[in-house]
Amino acid sequence: MTQDVQYGADARPGEIRRHELAGFLRSRRERITPEEVGLPRGPRRRTPGLRREEVAHLSAVGVTWYTWLEQARDIQVSAQVLDALARTLRLDASERVHLFGLAGAIDPTPAASCTTLTPELLDVIAQLEPFPACVQNSRYDILAYNSTYRMLLCDLDAIPPEDRNWMLLAFTHEDWRSAIVGLDDVLRVMAAKFRSGMAEHLAEPAWKVVLKRLTEESAEFRELWERHEVVQSVPSKVKHFHNPYVGPLDVVHTDLWLGRDCGARMVTYTPADDATRERLGRLRELALSRSS
C-alpha cells in the first residue's frame, strides 16, 4: 500500500495535503523529459524525468525550497509559485486546479458546487422519464434516481443505500461492471476524477471512507490511484451500456450542475438513436412493473 492510502483517522489535514502535494509534484516531474523543456539529457542521468534542481531553476524558486516541498515539509506556497510550477510541469487545466486545491491556495477556476435535494428536484428527475436521471454528489454517491435509472445497469433498489456509490459499484459490483461497455477506460477516468475532486476534501470522513473501501476492495483502483492522474470533467458524450433486461443502450451523458454550495449534479442519459429510445421505454415499464 502506498503513501496515498496510509492516512489514519487522526491524521491532520495539513499533513495529508502536504504528502498528497509532494506525491503529485513528483509524479508530474518524472513524466517530463529534459528534451521537452530544452535541456540536455547527459550521459549520467538516472532520474526518469526532470531533476528537482531543474524544476526549481525553470520555476525561478530555490532548490532547497522545492526539495522541501517534495519532502512534504510544512512550508507556505504562494499562488505565484504554484503558477510557475504548473507552467514548468506543463499541467493541463485539470491538473492545475488539482495543484491549487492540494496547496490550499485560491484556485482561479474553482469547481462549481451545488444545492441539496429538494422536492422540486426530485420532481424534475421523475418528469424526465423514460430517460434515466439521477442526482450525484462530487463523491459519486447516488442521492436520488428515477425509475429508468434504477434499472439502467442493474436493480439499484436491491443495493443497500450505503453502497449506492458509482465508484464503489464500478470497481466492486460484478453486475454493475458487466453492464459497462469499455470498462477499463471508464474506470481510469473515474479514478482520475475522484482524485481531482478529493483535493478539496482530503480530511473529510465520508471521502476517506470511500477511499478506504476502494483501496481495500479493488486492486484495479489501487493501481489507478497510484498513477496520480487527475481530470476535472469530461464533455458530454455517447456512453454505451449493455443492459441485462433490454440489451444494448447508446446514450448521451450530460451533467447539470445544481449550484455553488456543494458538488451535486443531475446526471441525465438521453437516447443516441431510435433503438435506444424504444429500449428505454421498455426499461421504464419493467421498472414500474417491479415497483407495483
Side-chain angles (χ1 to χ4, degrees):
M1 188 175 294
T2 68
Q3 188 180 63
D4 291 313
V5 296
Q6 291 179 340
Y7 307 124
D10 58 346
R12 296 181 179 180
E15 179 185 359
I16 297 173
R17 285 184 181 277
R18 291 195 301 273
H19 281 280
E20 283 286 322
L21 177 60
F24 183 65
L25 288 172
R26 283 193 299 272
S27 71
R28 291 307 177 261
R29 171 172 61 83
E30 291 172 354
R31 74 177 181 177
I32 299 177
T33 65
E35 292 84 357
E36 289 180 287
V37 294
L39 295 176
R41 173 169 293 276
R44 298 183 179 180
R45 179 175 293 271
R46 298 176 183 175
T47 305
L50 295 178
R51 299 186 178 102
R52 287 175 175 172
E53 57 267 28
E54 291 169 337
V55 173
H57 172 73
L58 292 169
S59 304
V61 300
V63 176
T64 300
W65 185 89
Y66 181 76
T67 300
W68 285 350
L69 197 59
E70 281 203 11
Q71 291 174 345
R73 300 280 190 94
D74 188 4
I75 58 177
Q76 297 298 315
V77 190
S78 69
Q80 291 79 9
V81 168
L82 291 172
D83 177 71
L85 290 174
R87 287 185 281 107
T88 296
L89 297 174
R90 301 192 171 191
L91 303 187
D92 61 24
S94 297
E95 293 167 332
R96 179 186 173 92
V97 171
H98 188 64
L99 175 69
F100 274 78
L102 289 177
I106 296 177
D107 193 326
T109 56
S113 51
C114 181
T115 57
T116 56
L117 291 174
T118 63
E120 294 77 15
L121 181 56
L122 298 178
D123 190 45
V124 168
I125 64 173
Q127 293 300 316
L128 289 174
E129 300 276 15
F131 300 160
C134 74
V135 178
Q136 295 179 24
N137 60 21
S138 57
R139 199 170 52 246
Y140 287 96
D141 294 326
I142 301 171
L143 306 177
Y145 49 91
N146 63 15
S147 296
T148 315
Y149 189 93
R150 168 196 164 188
M151 307 295 290
L152 184 62
L153 287 90
C154 66
D155 188 349
L156 195 53
D157 278 359
I159 297 173
E162 63 271 19
D163 292 339
R164 293 175 190 165
N165 175 285
W166 235 103
M167 291 286 295
L168 289 171
L169 293 171
F171 279 97
T172 67
H173 193 284
E174 286 307 314
D175 290 342
W176 193 274
R177 290 163 58 86
S178 65
I180 301 173
V181 178
L183 180 63
D184 289 345
D185 288 338
V186 171
L187 295 183
R188 180 183 58 80
V189 171
M190 290 194 69
K193 290 176 69 176
F194 189 78
R195 179 179 277 281
S196 180
M198 195 168 183
E200 298 181 1
H201 306 276
L202 288 171
E204 294 182 20
W207 283 79
K208 292 166 76 172
V209 166
V210 175
L211 179 59
K212 185 174 186 292
R213 289 193 59 184
L214 286 166
T215 53
E216 289 181 349
E217 299 176 25
S218 172
E220 286 174 292
F221 178 82
R222 291 194 297 273
E223 191 275 329
L224 290 169
W225 191 250
E226 291 169 4
R227 297 182 187 180
H228 282 268
E229 293 180 347
V230 293
V231 62
Q232 287 294 313
S233 62
V234 178
S236 299
K237 64 175 184 177
V238 176
K239 293 194 173 184
H240 308 281
F241 301 119
H242 188 83
N243 184 269
Y245 310 105
V246 298
L249 297 173
D250 300 325
V251 293
V252 178
H253 169 222
T254 303
D255 284 332
L256 301 173
W257 296 96
L258 301 176
R260 300 187 61 85
D261 300 312
C262 69
R265 63 193 182 277
M266 181 165 63
V267 179
T268 64
Y269 295 104
T270 51
D273 52 48
D274 290 338
T276 295
R277 186 179 299 272
E278 185 273 333
R279 289 171 184 147
L280 288 177
R282 286 196 283 125
L283 190 60
R284 181 187 182 234
E285 293 301 318
L286 174 62
L288 292 176
S289 68
R290 292 198 174 191
S291 299
S292 59

